Each structure stands twice: as structure tokens, then as C-alpha cells.
Amino acid sequence: MARPRQFDEQDAVVRATELFWRRGYHATSVRDLGDELKLTPSSLYRTFKDKHTLFLRALDHYRATESVQAERLLGADSRPIRHVLRDWMLWLVTCVPGRGCFVVNTATELGTTDDQVSRRTEAAFEVTRQALRSLLLQGRRKGELPTGLDIDDAVELLFTTVLGLRVRERAGHDPARLATAIDAAIRALGPAPTTPS
């Protein structure tokens, strides 16, 4: 008769996410995971198959959690679009100081060397692009952004800015300088259309 598991599998994924996020994939050993999760190597392999499978579960958990937070911050409300965008971008570089983004960290560490990881990081990046596109389209509809704004170009500018900000935040750059970059990127969207008097 199989013995019942003595731990919460989802809690183990959450704790593994924290460890991988802090240390990265290559710098996290199976022993490190066992210590963090309070699991023997045999229990870890029995539950998660291997380190790579657990890493994918951790990456999926992080993406789901961050998506919920981003959706809340970028959600439609009565505030001006530029304020929503600025608050979200500031949150990205202040929510967990010194850690950067787990997805961006993973993309820079593993690049295109791992197809399963690459599919997940690209899917996460596309979610960000689509959220930006939706916000900018809403801003244009509300008359807060120039009617001639090229939405595709603006999305790429802001998306690239976001990735750069998250790398710079992890490198310990001054938050005030990151805020300056955020403001410059938002100004690049052009002046708000003026309403004829």
C-alpha cells in the first residue's frame, strides 16, 4: 500500500519558485531543492520526476501569479491611461527589489537553448504585449492618445522598455533613474490630443 504524501505539492512548487527565482536554474541543485522543500532526492524525483520538470512547474506558477497581478493593475478604471501605465511600470521595478522578473531572468539565462522554457517565456512576453496593446487602444478610443499613434510600434517600444527596466532593477539601478526612463517612454507616446474650445 502506497504511503500518503507528507507534504503539500503546490506549496512545494511555490517554495521551489522562490528558490529558482532567487538563484536561477543552473545555480539551483537538486540538493538545494531538497533542503528548501524538506524532501529527500527520492521523494523529489518521485513527485516531480526531475529538476527540469519542477522548474517548468515553478515557471508556470510564477506566470499565473504575475498575470493576475498585472491584470489587476492594468484593468480598466476611471484613471487616465498614462497614469495606469506609469503605475504598472513602476510596480514592475519595485514589487520585489533586487529579484527582477523570473520570466526575464529565465529568458536571459536559458535563451533559446530549451524549447519548453522558450515557449513559456515567449507566451509570457506575448501576454505582456497584448496587455499593452489593449491599454493603448483603450487610450486612443478615450481620446487620451494621439489618433495617429502607431499602436504596434508603441507596444514594441514599451515592451522593450519593460524588459530593460526589469534587468536594470535586478542589477540594482537607482529606482529614481528607472522612473525617469518610464516617464520618457510614456512621453514618447506623444501629446494628448487637445479638445477644441
Side-chain angles (χ1 to χ4, degrees):
M1 184 168 162
R3 286 173 41 193
R5 288 190 179 144
Q6 300 296 312
F7 70 100
D8 181 323
E9 187 171 321
Q10 185 55 34
D11 179 62
V13 170
V14 170
R15 287 189 285 140
T17 302
E18 290 294 314
L19 184 61
F20 281 127
W21 189 5
R22 281 195 316 269
R23 301 189 64 179
Y25 179 75
H26 291 303
T28 302
S29 68
V30 171
R31 174 176 285 178
D32 296 330
L33 288 164
D35 291 346
E36 183 76 16
L37 307 181
K38 308 287 190 277
L39 290 176
T40 63
S42 62
S43 293
L44 195 143
Y45 285 121
R46 185 168 54 249
T47 305
F48 297 109
K49 185 179 168 189
D50 56 26
K51 171 182 154 179
H52 187 261
T53 301
L54 178 53
F55 182 76
L56 295 177
R57 294 262 315 262
L59 194 53
D60 288 343
H61 167 74
Y62 176 87
R63 287 176 52 214
T65 303
E66 188 186 51
S67 291
V68 168
Q69 292 170 320
E71 189 175 324
R72 178 179 55 81
L73 289 164
L74 287 171
D77 61 22
S78 59
R79 295 180 306 141
I81 294 300
R82 292 170 199 264
H83 292 183
V84 173
L85 184 58
R86 185 178 195 276
D87 288 349
W88 173 67
M89 293 174 82
L90 283 172
W91 172 79
L92 290 176
V93 296
T94 58
C95 59
V96 187
R99 288 257 201 111
C101 167
F102 186 27
V103 171
V104 175
N105 298 350
T106 297
T108 56
E109 180 184 7
L110 300 176
T112 57
T113 61
D114 184 316
D115 287 343
Q116 290 177 298
V117 168
S118 184
R119 280 195 298 274
R120 285 167 167 82
T121 57
E122 285 304 314
F125 292 156
E126 188 56 28
V127 167
T128 302
R129 283 191 190 95
Q130 290 305 320
L132 287 167
R133 181 181 313 283
S134 175
L135 191 64
L136 295 177
L137 286 169
Q138 181 184 357
R140 198 165 64 180
R141 278 194 307 272
K142 289 169 67 175
E144 296 178 20
L145 297 173
T147 55
L149 178 69
D150 186 313
I151 297 293
D152 291 336
D153 288 354
V155 166
E156 289 306 312
L157 170 66
L158 292 172
F159 174 67
T160 302
T161 301
V162 164
L163 265 58
L165 287 168
R166 299 201 92 170
V167 171
R168 290 187 64 189
E169 183 276 322
R170 187 167 191 210
H173 291 196
D174 179 4
R177 295 178 72 184
L178 301 184
T180 298
I182 289 168
D183 290 337
I186 293 172
R187 280 195 306 273
L189 298 175
T194 55
T195 305
S197 52

